[in-house]
Amino acid sequence: MTETFKIVIPMAGWGTRMRPHTFSKPKPLVSVAGKTTLEHLLDMFKTMPDPENLEYVFIVGPFLGELQIPAFIKEKYPEIKAHYVVQTEMKGQSHALWLAREYLHGPMQMVFSDTLIETDFSFLAHETADSVAWVMPVPDPRRFGVAEVGRDGYVTRFIEKPQTIENNLVIAGCYYFREGRELIAAIEEQFKRNITLKNEFFLADAMTIMIEHGMKIRTHEISTWLDTGTIEATLDTNKILLEKRGAEEQRFKGSKVEIIKPVAIHETAEINDSKIGPYASIGANCIISNSAISESVLEAGCEIQDSALTRSLIGKQVKVRGRGDGQVIQLNVGDSSEVLL
């Protein structure tokens, strides 16, 4: 019997850069371009070989993550086989994977929850390398991990947060491993050597140990890598995803609405006497009146009245009431809040 292919998604971080939204929900459940980040992430795996032979391993944080992620998956993706592991101590990427070690045998794909890339995974059906790291050149790689590639095309080492910018081949947070047990063995050696950066165990160091043991790791270059790890990055990603979505027909309730595409408007939204777009994402059951919304994400159940918003991220069940004077403002408001301008 062929061993199932594991897709591992660590998402246990506190999401501090996405507050106040992550005070009430885990970061992967924040919306962007009409869907949650997690839904966009799971869409990436539609090109996986043998899709009927997949298992998902979600490494979640305590409280919000362990309560909301399983419920979300059960509701939205009842057909998938999913396992959940709780990381209560934030000791880094390698530590998160080690906690999930009982599931990590056979081939596996790992991708961080705030990483959205454009790639076709179908080639993995014939991959011969021990591991593949997805990479993309960037102007300044110093806040990322980078791959150093030798003349034979294989990675010689990984460097986490390099001090210089000569090597700009940044790891995009997506990896394939031919055998999960080999990764876990390298992580356990990383623990024994106590190889850390700022008291965290980074995956790049475990993969360098794999190379030391003679394993062949190659890179797979991509040209599109979107980030949902900060407010500004999420709004930028919203814009890019809506551009790719194009000028789709929008259906919603209401009248006297000017639409400047591209936008994403849920069919249950009610909009009157307003201008929507460009690059606006309007969630389910939103009520908007006498307002202008551009380059913004409004999550489900928002009520916006007499306001002009741009570059705003508005959580669920938020009420914003402006003065109707046309002054354009930028807001970052978490779930269940009320703003009077």
Side-chain angles (χ1 to χ4, degrees):
M1 181 178 177
T2 303
E3 199 156 16
T4 57
F5 196 115
K6 313 302 190 304
I7 294 177
V8 187
I9 306 177
M11 54 175 71
W14 298 120
T16 55
R17 295 181 300 167
M18 285 295 291
R19 289 177 178 168
H21 305 275
T22 48
F23 283 130
S24 55
K25 56 180 174 287
K27 183 168 64 175
L29 297 188
V30 176
S31 296
V32 58
K35 296 191 287 189
T36 64
T37 297
L38 182 53
E39 288 172 280
H40 287 292
L41 184 65
L42 294 177
D43 283 346
M44 285 169 39
F45 301 112
K46 291 180 178 179
T47 59
M48 290 291 292
D50 195 9
E52 302 301 317
N53 197 38
L54 300 178
E55 289 185 41
Y56 290 81
V57 182
F58 299 98
I59 304 172
V60 300
F63 184 48
L64 292 178
E66 65 180 319
L67 290 177
Q68 295 185 26
I69 296 295
F72 181 86
I73 294 297
K74 184 178 180 180
E75 177 187 355
K76 296 284 188 175
Y77 301 92
E79 74 283 359
I80 72 172
K81 185 174 183 180
H83 308 283
Y84 302 92
V85 175
V86 181
Q87 185 182 22
T88 57
E89 297 179 279
M90 302 306 140
K91 294 183 177 180
Q93 304 157 353
S94 293
H95 176 255
L97 293 168
W98 184 80
L99 292 174
R101 62 193 180 279
E102 67 177 289
Y103 305 112
L104 305 190
H105 45 81
M108 60 170 279
Q109 187 80 20
M110 195 224 73
V111 60
F112 295 127
S113 63
D114 55 3
T115 295
L116 300 177
I117 63 175
E118 283 191 0
T119 190
D120 186 339
F121 290 117
S122 60
F123 73 86
L124 292 176
H126 309 289
E127 182 57 50
T128 58
D130 295 304
S131 179
V132 178
W134 277 252
V135 296
M136 190 176 82
V138 302
D140 187 349
R142 286 176 292 184
R143 69 184 184 93
F144 304 99
V146 297
E148 187 176 84
V149 179
R151 293 182 178 179
D152 61 357
Y154 290 106
V155 179
T156 57
R157 64 171 177 157
F158 292 92
I159 307 168
E160 188 63 43
K161 294 179 173 58
Q163 300 300 306
T164 60
I165 64 173
E166 294 87 35
N167 180 4
N168 69 341
L169 208 56
V170 165
I171 308 164
C174 183
Y175 308 83
Y176 159 79
F177 299 93
R178 181 182 56 81
E179 175 50 69
R181 295 183 186 93
E182 294 172 347
L183 171 62
I184 294 302
I187 289 173
E188 290 177 347
E189 186 169 336
Q190 179 186 11
F191 290 167
K192 290 176 182 178
R193 296 191 199 177
N194 195 31
I195 303 174
T196 63
L197 178 64
K198 296 182 179 179
N199 297 316
E200 291 191 21
F201 294 96
F202 281 87
L203 180 59
D205 295 315
M207 295 183 70
T208 295
I209 291 173
M210 294 175 67
I211 294 170
E212 291 175 8
H213 290 175
M215 296 180 192
K216 299 295 186 181
I217 302 177
R218 73 171 185 87
T219 59
H220 186 86
E221 193 166 315
I222 56 174
S223 58
T224 300
W225 174 21
L226 305 178
D227 180 18
T228 56
T230 67
I231 301 298
E232 287 300 309
T234 297
L235 292 172
D236 290 340
T237 291
N238 177 67
K239 184 174 181 178
I240 294 168
L241 290 175
L242 288 179
E243 283 179 342
K244 292 181 179 296
R245 181 171 174 165
E248 295 182 358
E249 187 66 28
Q250 303 296 318
R251 297 182 179 181
F252 55 90
K253 296 177 286 184
S255 62
K256 298 182 181 179
V257 181
E258 179 185 356
I259 300 295
I260 304 176
K261 299 178 179 179
V263 297
I265 303 175
H266 196 277
E267 61 183 8
T268 60
E270 182 176 343
I271 308 173
N272 293 286
D273 302 302
S274 298
K275 181 168 73 173
I276 307 298
Y279 309 116
S281 296
I282 311 300
N285 300 307
C286 285
I287 300 175
I288 301 172
S289 61
N290 193 34
S291 297
I293 314 292
S294 66
E295 296 191 34
S296 299
V297 176
L298 275 60
E299 297 197 287
C302 291
E303 296 183 21
I304 312 297
Q305 179 182 343
D306 300 327
S307 302
L309 304 179
T310 191
R311 296 292 293 177
S312 297
L313 185 53
I314 310 296
K316 295 180 179 179
Q317 308 295 328
V318 170
K319 295 182 180 181
V320 178
R321 188 173 67 193
R323 299 175 182 176
D325 57 6
Q327 182 178 355
V328 179
I329 61 172
Q330 180 176 350
L331 293 177
N332 176 29
V333 184
D335 293 349
S336 303
S337 301
E338 188 167 345
V339 179
L340 302 178
L341 302 171

